[in-house]
Coordinates of all heavy atoms in Angstrom, one line a residue:
M1 N 122.2 130.0 125.6 CA 122.7 128.7 125.4 C 123.5 128.3 126.9 O 124.3 129.1 127.2 CB 123.6 128.4 124.3 CG 124.2 127.0 124.4 SD 125.0 126.4 122.8 CE 125.9 127.8 122.3
T2 N 123.0 127.5 127.6 CA 123.6 127.2 128.8 C 124.4 125.9 128.6 O 123.9 124.8 128.3 CB 122.5 126.9 130.0 OG1 121.7 125.8 129.5 CG2 121.7 128.2 130.1
E3 N 125.6 126.0 128.6 CA 126.5 124.9 128.4 C 127.7 125.1 129.3 O 128.2 126.1 129.8 CB 127.2 124.8 127.0 CG 127.9 126.1 126.7 CD 128.3 126.0 125.2 OE1 127.4 126.1 124.4 OE2 129.5 126.2 125.0
S4 N 128.1 123.9 129.9 CA 129.3 123.8 130.8 C 130.5 123.3 130.0 O 130.4 122.2 129.6 CB 128.9 122.9 132.0 OG 130.2 122.8 132.8
R5 N 131.5 124.1 130.0 CA 132.7 123.6 129.3 C 133.7 123.1 130.2 O 134.9 123.0 130.0 CB 133.2 124.7 128.5 CG 132.4 125.1 127.4 CD 133.0 125.9 126.3 NE 132.1 126.1 125.3 CZ 132.2 125.6 124.0 NH1 133.1 124.7 123.7 NH2 131.4 125.9 123.1
S6 N 133.4 122.7 131.4 CA 134.2 122.3 132.5 C 134.6 120.8 132.4 O 135.6 120.4 132.8 CB 133.7 122.6 133.9 OG 132.6 121.9 134.1
T7 N 133.8 120.0 131.7 CA 134.1 118.6 131.5 C 134.2 118.3 130.1 O 133.5 118.8 129.2 CB 133.0 117.7 132.1 OG1 131.7 117.9 131.4 CG2 132.7 118.0 133.6
G8 N 135.2 117.4 129.8 CA 135.4 116.9 128.3 C 134.1 116.3 127.9 O 133.9 116.4 126.7
T9 N 133.3 115.5 128.5 CA 132.2 114.8 128.1 C 131.1 115.8 127.5 O 130.6 115.7 126.5 CB 131.5 114.0 129.2 OG1 132.6 113.1 129.7 CG2 130.4 113.2 128.6
V10 N 130.8 116.9 128.4 CA 130.0 118.0 127.9 C 130.4 118.7 126.7 O 129.7 118.9 125.8 CB 129.7 118.9 129.0 CG1 128.8 120.1 128.6 CG2 129.0 118.3 130.2
L11 N 131.7 119.0 126.6 CA 132.3 119.6 125.6 C 132.2 118.7 124.3 O 131.7 119.3 123.2 CB 133.7 120.0 125.8 CG 134.5 120.7 124.7 CD1 133.9 122.0 124.5 CD2 135.9 120.8 125.0
E12 N 132.5 117.6 124.3 CA 132.4 116.7 123.2 C 131.0 116.5 122.7 O 130.8 116.5 121.5 CB 133.0 115.4 123.4 CG 134.5 115.3 123.6 CD 135.1 116.0 122.3 OE1 134.8 115.7 121.2 OE2 136.1 116.8 122.5
T13 N 130.0 116.4 123.5 CA 128.6 116.3 123.3 C 128.2 117.6 122.5 O 127.4 117.4 121.6 CB 127.8 116.1 124.5 OG1 128.1 115.0 125.2 CG2 126.3 116.0 124.1
I14 N 128.5 118.7 123.0 CA 128.0 120.0 122.2 C 128.8 120.0 121.0 O 128.2 120.3 120.0 CB 128.4 121.1 123.2 CG1 127.6 121.1 124.4 CG2 128.2 122.4 122.4 CD1 128.0 122.1 125.6
D15 N 130.1 119.8 120.8 CA 130.9 120.0 119.7 C 130.4 119.0 118.6 O 130.6 119.3 117.4 CB 132.4 119.8 119.9 CG 133.0 121.1 120.6 OD1 132.3 122.0 120.7 OD2 134.2 121.0 120.9
S16 N 130.0 117.7 118.9 CA 129.7 116.7 117.9 C 128.4 117.2 117.1 O 128.3 116.7 116.0 CB 129.4 115.4 118.7 OG 128.2 115.5 119.3
A17 N 127.7 118.1 117.5 CA 126.4 118.6 116.8 C 126.9 119.8 115.9 O 126.0 120.1 115.1 CB 125.4 119.1 117.7
L18 N 128.1 120.3 115.9 CA 128.4 121.5 115.2 C 128.8 121.1 113.7 O 129.3 120.0 113.6 CB 129.6 122.2 115.8 CG 129.3 122.7 117.3 CD1 130.5 123.3 117.8 CD2 128.1 123.7 117.2
V19 N 128.6 122.0 112.8 CA 128.9 121.9 111.4 C 130.3 122.6 111.2 O 131.0 122.2 110.6 CB 127.8 122.3 110.5 CG1 128.3 122.2 109.0 CG2 126.6 121.4 110.8
L20 N 130.3 123.8 111.7 CA 131.5 124.7 111.7 C 132.1 124.8 113.0 O 131.4 125.0 114.0 CB 131.1 126.0 111.0 CG 130.7 126.1 109.7 CD1 130.0 127.4 109.2 CD2 131.6 125.5 108.7
L21 N 133.4 124.7 113.1 CA 134.2 125.0 114.2 C 135.0 126.3 114.3 O 135.4 126.6 113.2 CB 135.1 123.8 114.5 CG 134.6 122.4 114.6 CD1 135.7 121.4 114.6 CD2 133.6 122.2 115.7
T22 N 135.2 126.9 115.4 CA 136.2 128.0 115.4 C 137.6 127.3 115.3 O 137.7 126.0 115.5 CB 136.2 128.7 116.8 OG1 136.6 127.8 117.9 CG2 134.8 129.3 117.1
V23 N 138.6 128.1 114.9 CA 139.9 127.5 114.8 C 140.4 126.9 116.1 O 141.1 125.9 116.2 CB 140.8 128.7 114.3 CG1 142.3 128.0 114.2 CG2 140.4 129.1 112.9
E24 N 140.0 127.6 117.2 CA 140.4 127.0 118.7 C 139.8 125.7 118.8 O 140.5 124.8 119.3 CB 139.9 128.0 119.6 CG 140.8 129.3 119.7 CD 140.1 130.4 118.8 OE1 139.1 130.1 117.9 OE2 140.6 131.6 118.9
E25 N 138.5 125.5 118.5 CA 137.8 124.3 118.7 C 138.5 123.1 117.7 O 138.7 122.0 118.2 CB 136.4 124.3 118.3 CG 135.5 125.2 119.3 CD 134.1 125.5 118.8 OE1 133.9 125.5 117.6 OE2 133.3 125.7 119.7
A26 N 138.9 123.6 116.6 CA 139.6 122.6 115.6 C 140.9 122.2 116.2 O 141.3 121.0 116.2 CB 139.6 123.2 114.2
A27 N 141.6 123.2 116.8 CA 142.9 123.0 117.3 C 142.7 121.9 118.5 O 143.5 120.9 118.6 CB 143.6 124.2 117.8
R28 N 141.7 122.1 119.5 CA 141.4 121.2 120.4 C 141.2 119.7 120.0 O 141.8 118.8 120.5 CB 140.2 121.6 121.3 CG 140.7 122.5 122.4 CD 139.6 122.6 123.5 NE 138.2 123.0 123.0 CZ 137.8 124.1 122.7 NH1 138.6 125.2 123.0 NH2 136.6 124.3 122.3
R29 N 140.4 119.7 119.0 CA 140.1 118.4 118.4 C 141.3 117.7 117.8 O 141.4 116.4 117.9 CB 138.9 118.4 117.4 CG 137.6 118.6 118.0 CD 136.6 118.6 116.9 NE 135.3 118.6 117.6 CZ 134.4 117.7 117.2 NH1 134.6 116.8 116.4 NH2 133.3 117.8 117.9
L30 N 142.2 118.4 117.2 CA 143.4 117.9 116.6 C 144.5 117.8 117.7 O 145.5 117.1 117.4 CB 143.9 118.8 115.5 CG 143.0 118.8 114.2 CD1 143.5 119.8 113.3 CD2 143.1 117.4 113.5
R31 N 144.3 118.2 118.8 CA 145.2 118.3 120.0 C 146.6 118.9 119.5 O 147.6 118.4 119.7 CB 145.6 116.8 120.4 CG 144.4 115.9 120.8 CD 143.8 116.5 122.0 NE 142.9 115.5 122.7 CZ 141.7 115.6 122.7 NH1 141.0 116.7 122.0 NH2 140.8 114.7 123.2
I32 N 146.4 120.1 118.9 CA 147.4 120.9 118.5 C 147.3 122.4 119.0 O 146.2 122.7 119.7 CB 147.6 121.0 117.0 CG1 146.5 121.7 116.3 CG2 147.9 119.7 116.4 CD1 146.6 122.0 114.8
G33 N 148.3 123.2 119.1 CA 148.2 124.5 119.7 C 147.2 125.4 118.8 O 147.2 125.2 117.6
R34 N 146.9 126.4 119.5 CA 146.0 127.4 118.7 C 146.8 128.1 117.6 O 146.3 128.3 116.5 CB 145.5 128.4 119.8 CG 144.6 129.6 119.2 CD 144.2 130.5 120.4 NE 143.6 131.7 119.9 CZ 144.4 132.9 119.5 NH1 145.6 132.7 119.5 NH2 143.7 133.8 119.1
T35 N 148.0 128.6 117.9 CA 148.9 129.3 116.9 C 149.1 128.3 115.7 O 149.1 128.8 114.5 CB 150.1 129.7 117.6 OG1 149.8 130.5 118.6 CG2 151.1 130.5 116.6
T36 N 149.5 127.1 115.9 CA 149.7 126.1 114.9 C 148.4 126.0 114.0 O 148.5 125.9 112.9 CB 150.1 124.7 115.5 OG1 151.4 124.9 116.3 CG2 150.4 123.8 114.4
A37 N 147.3 125.9 114.7 CA 146.0 125.7 113.9 C 145.7 126.9 113.1 O 145.5 126.9 111.9 CB 144.8 125.5 114.8
F38 N 146.0 128.1 113.6 CA 145.9 129.3 112.8 C 146.7 129.4 111.5 O 146.4 129.7 110.4 CB 146.0 130.6 113.6 CG 144.7 131.1 114.2 CD1 144.4 130.9 115.5 CD2 143.6 131.7 113.4 CE1 143.2 131.2 116.0 CE2 142.5 132.1 113.9 CZ 142.2 131.8 115.3
R39 N 147.9 128.9 111.8 CA 149.1 128.9 110.8 C 148.7 127.9 109.7 O 148.7 128.2 108.5 CB 150.4 128.5 111.3 CG 151.4 128.4 110.4 CD 152.9 128.2 110.9 NE 153.0 127.1 111.8 CZ 152.9 125.7 111.3 NH1 153.0 125.5 110.0 NH2 153.0 124.8 112.2
L40 N 148.0 126.7 110.1 CA 147.7 125.7 109.1 C 146.5 126.2 108.3 O 146.4 126.0 107.1 CB 147.5 124.4 109.8 CG 148.6 123.7 110.4 CD1 148.2 122.5 111.2 CD2 149.5 123.2 109.2
V41 N 145.6 126.9 109.0 CA 144.4 127.4 108.2 C 144.8 128.5 107.2 O 144.3 128.5 106.1 CB 143.4 128.1 109.3 CG1 142.4 129.0 108.6 CG2 142.7 126.9 110.0
L42 N 145.6 129.4 107.7 CA 146.1 130.6 106.8 C 146.9 130.0 105.6 O 146.9 130.7 104.5 CB 146.8 131.5 107.6 CG 146.0 132.4 108.6 CD1 146.9 133.3 109.4 CD2 145.0 133.0 107.8
A43 N 147.6 129.0 105.9 CA 148.4 128.3 104.7 C 147.7 127.5 103.7 O 148.1 127.0 102.8 CB 149.5 127.4 105.3
G44 N 146.3 127.2 104.3 CA 145.5 126.4 103.3 C 145.6 125.0 103.6 O 145.0 124.1 102.9
E45 N 146.4 124.5 104.6 CA 146.5 123.1 104.9 C 145.2 122.4 105.5 O 145.0 121.3 105.2 CB 147.6 122.9 105.9 CG 149.0 123.1 105.3 CD 149.4 122.1 104.3 OE1 149.1 120.9 104.7 OE2 149.9 122.5 103.3
I46 N 144.6 123.3 106.3 CA 143.1 122.9 106.8 C 142.2 123.9 106.3 O 142.4 125.0 106.2 CB 143.1 123.2 108.4 CG1 144.2 122.2 109.1 CG2 141.8 122.8 108.9 CD1 144.3 122.4 110.5
E47 N 141.3 123.2 105.6 CA 140.2 123.9 104.9 C 139.4 125.0 105.9 O 139.1 124.5 107.0 CB 139.1 123.1 104.1 CG 138.1 123.8 103.5 CD 137.0 122.9 103.0 OE1 137.1 121.6 103.2 OE2 135.9 123.3 102.5
S48 N 139.0 126.2 105.5 CA 138.3 126.9 106.3 C 137.5 127.8 105.4 O 137.6 128.0 104.2 CB 139.2 128.0 107.1 OG 139.9 128.8 106.4
V49 N 136.4 128.4 106.0 CA 135.5 129.3 105.3 C 135.3 130.6 106.1 O 135.7 130.6 107.3 CB 134.1 128.8 105.1 CG1 134.2 127.5 104.1 CG2 133.4 128.4 106.4
T50 N 134.9 131.7 105.5 CA 134.6 133.0 106.3 C 133.1 133.0 106.3 O 132.3 132.8 105.3 CB 135.3 134.1 105.6 OG1 135.0 134.2 104.2 CG2 136.7 134.1 105.7
V51 N 132.6 133.3 107.5 CA 131.2 133.8 107.6 C 131.3 135.1 108.2 O 131.6 135.4 109.2 CB 130.6 132.9 108.6 CG1 129.1 133.1 108.9 CG2 130.8 131.3 108.2
G52 N 130.9 136.1 107.3 CA 131.1 137.5 107.7 C 132.5 137.8 107.9 O 133.4 137.6 107.0
R53 N 132.9 138.2 109.2 CA 134.3 138.5 109.4 C 134.9 137.3 110.2 O 136.0 137.4 110.7 CB 134.4 139.7 110.3 CG 134.0 140.9 109.4 CD 133.9 142.3 110.3 NE 135.3 142.4 110.8 CZ 135.6 143.3 111.8 NH1 134.7 143.9 112.4 NH2 136.9 143.4 112.2
L54 N 134.1 136.3 110.3 CA 134.6 135.1 111.2 C 135.3 134.0 110.3 O 134.8 133.8 109.3 CB 133.5 134.5 112.0 CG 132.7 135.5 112.8 CD1 131.4 134.9 113.4 CD2 133.6 136.0 114.0
R55 N 136.2 133.4 110.9 CA 136.9 132.2 110.2 C 136.5 130.9 110.9 O 136.5 130.8 112.0 CB 138.4 132.3 110.4 CG 139.2 131.2 109.8 CD 139.2 131.1 108.3 NE 139.6 132.4 107.6 CZ 139.6 132.6 106.3 NH1 139.3 131.5 105.5 NH2 139.9 133.6 105.7
R56 N 135.9 130.0 110.1 CA 135.4 128.8 110.6 C 136.0 127.5 109.8 O 136.2 127.7 108.6 CB 133.9 128.7 110.5 CG 133.2 129.8 111.4 CD 133.5 129.4 112.9 NE 132.8 130.4 113.8 CZ 133.3 131.3 114.6 NH1 134.7 131.5 114.3 NH2 132.7 132.1 115.3
V57 N 136.0 126.4 110.5 CA 136.6 125.2 110.0 C 135.6 124.3 109.9 O 134.8 123.9 110.8 CB 137.7 124.7 110.7 CG1 138.3 123.3 110.3 CG2 138.9 125.6 111.0
P58 N 135.2 123.8 108.6 CA 134.1 122.8 108.5 C 134.6 121.5 109.2 O 135.7 121.1 109.2 CB 134.0 122.5 106.9 CG 134.5 123.7 106.4 CD 135.7 124.2 107.3
I59 N 133.6 120.8 109.8 CA 133.8 119.7 110.6 C 134.6 118.6 109.9 O 135.4 117.9 110.4 CB 132.6 119.2 111.3 CG1 133.0 118.1 112.5 CG2 131.6 118.5 110.4 CD1 133.5 118.8 113.8
D60 N 134.3 118.4 108.7 CA 134.8 117.4 107.8 C 136.1 117.7 107.3 O 136.8 116.9 106.7 CB 133.8 116.9 106.7 CG 133.5 118.1 105.7 OD1 133.9 119.4 106.0 OD2 133.1 118.0 104.6
A61 N 136.6 118.9 107.6 CA 138.0 119.4 107.1 C 139.1 118.7 108.0 O 140.2 118.5 107.6 CB 138.1 120.9 107.1
L62 N 138.6 118.3 109.3 CA 139.7 117.8 110.1 C 140.1 116.4 109.8 O 141.4 116.1 109.6 CB 139.1 117.8 111.6 CG 138.8 119.1 112.1 CD1 138.4 119.2 113.5 CD2 140.0 120.2 111.9
P63 N 139.1 115.5 109.5 CA 139.6 114.1 109.0 C 140.3 114.3 107.7 O 141.2 113.4 107.3 CB 138.2 113.4 108.8 CG 137.1 114.0 109.5 CD 137.7 115.4 109.7
A64 N 140.0 115.2 106.9 CA 140.6 115.4 105.5 C 142.0 115.8 105.7 O 142.9 115.3 105.1 CB 139.8 116.4 104.6
Y65 N 142.2 116.7 106.8 CA 143.6 117.0 107.0 C 144.4 115.8 107.5 O 145.6 115.7 107.2 CB 143.6 118.2 108.0 CG 145.0 118.6 108.5 CD1 146.0 119.2 107.7 CD2 145.3 118.3 109.7 CE1 147.2 119.5 108.1 CE2 146.5 118.7 110.3 CZ 147.5 119.2 109.5 OH 148.8 119.5 109.9
V66 N 143.8 115.1 108.4 CA 144.7 114.0 109.0 C 144.9 112.9 107.9 O 146.0 112.4 107.8 CB 143.8 113.4 110.1 CG1 144.4 112.0 110.5 CG2 143.6 114.3 111.3
A67 N 143.9 112.8 106.9 CA 144.1 111.8 105.8 C 145.4 112.4 104.9 O 146.2 111.6 104.5 CB 142.9 111.7 104.9
K68 N 145.4 113.6 104.7 CA 146.5 114.2 104.0 C 147.7 114.1 104.6 O 148.8 113.6 103.9 CB 146.1 115.7 103.9 CG 147.1 116.5 102.8 CD 147.0 117.9 102.7 CE 145.5 118.5 103.0 NZ 145.6 120.0 103.0
L69 N 147.8 114.1 105.9 CA 149.0 114.0 106.7 C 149.4 112.4 106.6 O 150.7 112.2 106.4 CB 148.9 114.2 108.2 CG 148.8 115.7 108.5 CD1 148.6 115.9 110.1 CD2 150.0 116.5 108.1
R70 N 148.5 111.5 106.6 CA 148.8 110.0 106.6 C 149.3 109.7 105.2 O 150.2 108.9 105.1 CB 147.6 109.3 106.9 CG 147.2 109.5 108.3 CD 145.8 108.6 108.8 NE 146.3 107.3 108.8 CZ 145.4 106.3 109.2 NH1 144.1 106.6 109.2 NH2 145.8 105.0 109.4
H71 N 148.7 110.4 104.2 CA 149.1 110.1 102.8 C 150.5 110.6 102.6 O 151.4 109.8 102.0 CB 148.2 110.8 101.8 CG 148.6 110.6 100.4 ND1 148.3 109.4 99.7 CD2 149.0 111.4 99.4 CE1 148.7 109.4 98.5 NE2 149.2 110.8 98.4
R72 N 150.9 111.7 103.0 CA 152.3 112.2 103.0 C 153.3 111.3 103.8 O 154.4 111.1 103.1 CB 152.4 113.5 103.6 CG 151.7 114.7 102.8 CD 151.9 116.0 103.5 NE 151.1 117.1 102.9 CZ 150.7 118.2 103.4 NH1 151.3 118.5 104.6 NH2 150.0 119.1 102.9
A73 N 153.0 110.8 104.8 CA 153.8 109.9 105.6 C 154.0 108.6 104.8 O 155.1 108.1 104.9 CB 153.2 109.7 107.0
A74 N 152.9 108.2 104.2 CA 153.1 106.9 103.5 C 153.9 107.2 102.3 O 154.7 106.2 101.9 CB 151.7 106.4 103.0
E75 N 153.8 108.3 101.5 CA 154.7 108.5 100.4 C 156.1 108.6 100.9 O 157.0 108.3 100.1 CB 154.3 109.8 99.7 CG 153.0 109.7 98.9 CD 152.6 111.0 98.2 OE1 153.1 112.1 98.6 OE2 151.8 110.9 97.3
A76 N 156.4 109.2 102.0 CA 157.7 109.4 102.5 C 158.5 108.1 102.8 O 159.7 108.0 102.8 CB 157.8 110.4 103.6
A77 N 157.6 107.2 103.3 CA 158.3 105.9 103.8 C 158.7 105.0 102.6 O 158.5 105.1 101.5 CB 157.2 105.1 104.5

C-alpha cells in the first residue's frame, strides 16, 4: 500500500475507509494522547476488539464514546 501520511487530507481519506482503527488512530481522531486512549480502551470506556494479538477500535465506537461523555456532562449539569 502506498500512502503518504505527511498531510492531514491524505490521512483522513485513508482513515475514512477503515472499519477498525488502531488505538493510536483512534487517539488521533479523538485528539487525545496515545496513553490516555490506551487507558480508556483497557478500562472499557472505549469499545475495542482483539484480532489475533492486536487490539482494534471499531470506527463506530468513537461517536459512541463521545455521546457517552456528552450524556455524563448533561447529567452533571
Side-chain angles (χ1 to χ4, degrees):
M1 176 171 35
T2 59
E3 60 186 58
S4 171
R5 294 196 178 255
S6 61
T7 64
T9 306
V10 172
L11 179 63
E12 290 303 316
T13 302
I14 293 168
D15 282 355
S16 67
L18 299 175
V19 176
L20 294 174
L21 304 173
T22 65
V23 177
E24 290 88 350
E25 289 168 336
R28 269 198 310 274
R29 284 182 171 238
L30 291 171
R31 305 292 197 256
I32 62 175
R34 178 182 172 275
T35 303
T36 300
F38 271 104
R39 184 176 48 80
L40 291 169
V41 164
L42 292 175
E45 290 290 317
I46 297 176
E47 178 190 357
S48 68
V49 297
T50 53
V51 180
R53 295 177 61 194
L54 304 173
R55 175 70 53 183
R56 294 294 182 252
V57 177
I59 194 76
D60 60 344
L62 301 182
Y65 172 68
V66 173
K68 190 184 330 180
L69 290 176
R70 294 177 79 182
H71 180 72
R72 287 181 192 162
E75 285 182 343

